[in-house]
Amino acid sequence: MRKIVVQMSVSLDGFFEGPGGDIGWHQVDEELHRHFNDVIAPMGGFLSGRVSHELMAAYWPTADQDPTASDPEREFASIWRDMPKIVYSRTLEHADWNATVIREVDPEEVRRLKAEPGGDLALGGADLAATFARHDLVDEYRIYVNPVLLGRGRRLFPDSDVPTGLRLVESRVFGNGVVLLRHERAR
């Protein structure tokens, strides 16, 4: 069965975006970008909310045509364009780039999707990740901790009264100081 994998960058103090939606502090260098490409390329699809999809769709479809783009960026543009996508949105009427719009997260439909053959599914967007977590649909968290303290912004994990047991399966320090903490659900 394929897994739902949350893959997000956060500050050391737990924010995925700073004030005003700022993500300019994400420290993605060539080494980290190559890592992202290596783990995302074999996946079976992207699951995202409208905001995340629109941010990605604003840049990645033509990023490989930018003469200033790095090799890993050009490679990711192709990966992103070709990867099947599900966009969860109540307002978006249509999404391009191999995307299907679904109005609501239906836990039974997601379980059916997980049972289909293919690679794992990358889940992007903090609000959507929180919805999937509430429905006990997240199998793995790949959190990339950036060496920065923001002080305020939007936290990745919302408040909860229910603890979720996790098991560390990998950690890695990248040359730029970003630390991958990869956890699976403790079942």
Side-chain angles (χ1 to χ4, degrees):
M1 180 170 293
R2 41 194 200 172
K3 298 185 291 189
I4 303 288
V5 179
V6 171
Q7 183 166 317
M8 297 282 289
S9 291
V10 299
S11 63
L12 183 60
D13 49 353
F15 299 103
F16 73 93
E17 63 181 29
D22 177 33
I23 59 170
W25 51 270
H26 288 196
Q27 297 180 22
V28 182
D29 62 4
E30 188 164 320
E31 176 194 20
L32 185 55
H33 210 299
R34 286 190 189 284
H35 164 80
F36 288 158
N37 291 355
D38 290 345
V39 298
I40 290 172
M43 289 195 160
F46 290 116
L47 309 175
S48 63
R50 178 191 57 80
V51 173
S52 294
H53 178 75
E54 287 178 342
L55 284 171
M56 299 294 279
Y59 179 71
W60 289 110
T62 59
D64 53 352
Q65 297 169 21
D66 180 348
T68 65
S70 67
D71 288 341
E73 287 173 319
R74 282 192 284 279
E75 180 183 355
F76 184 78
S78 176
I79 293 167
W80 189 86
R81 273 193 312 266
D82 295 343
M83 185 80 61
K85 297 163 206 59
I86 295 176
V87 181
Y88 290 90
S89 173
R90 293 182 190 105
T91 59
L92 194 62
E93 292 299 321
H94 174 77
D96 290 322
W97 307 108
N98 202 16
T100 301
V101 177
I102 296 181
R103 297 285 171 225
E104 299 285 336
V105 175
D106 176 345
E108 289 309 312
E109 187 64 24
V110 173
R111 287 183 190 95
R112 183 197 60 72
L113 185 63
K114 287 173 60 171
E116 290 179 359
D120 293 339
L121 302 166
L123 176 62
D127 293 336
L128 187 60
T131 299
F132 271 65
R134 265 195 321 277
H135 291 296
D136 194 30
L137 297 169
V138 177
D139 302 294
E140 182 177 313
Y141 292 91
R142 292 180 188 167
I143 306 303
Y144 295 84
V145 182
N146 285 244
V148 63
L149 296 169
L150 295 180
R152 58 191 179 97
R154 287 188 61 203
R155 293 202 179 278
L156 176 56
F157 297 104
D159 292 343
S160 174
D161 295 326
V162 180
T164 301
L166 302 172
R167 181 175 60 87
L168 181 67
V169 294
E170 179 184 5
S171 63
R172 177 177 172 183
V173 179
F174 294 89
N176 63 4
V178 170
V179 177
L180 163 62
L181 298 174
R182 184 173 153 233
H183 289 84
E184 291 180 347
R185 290 290 307 269
R187 302 274 180 190

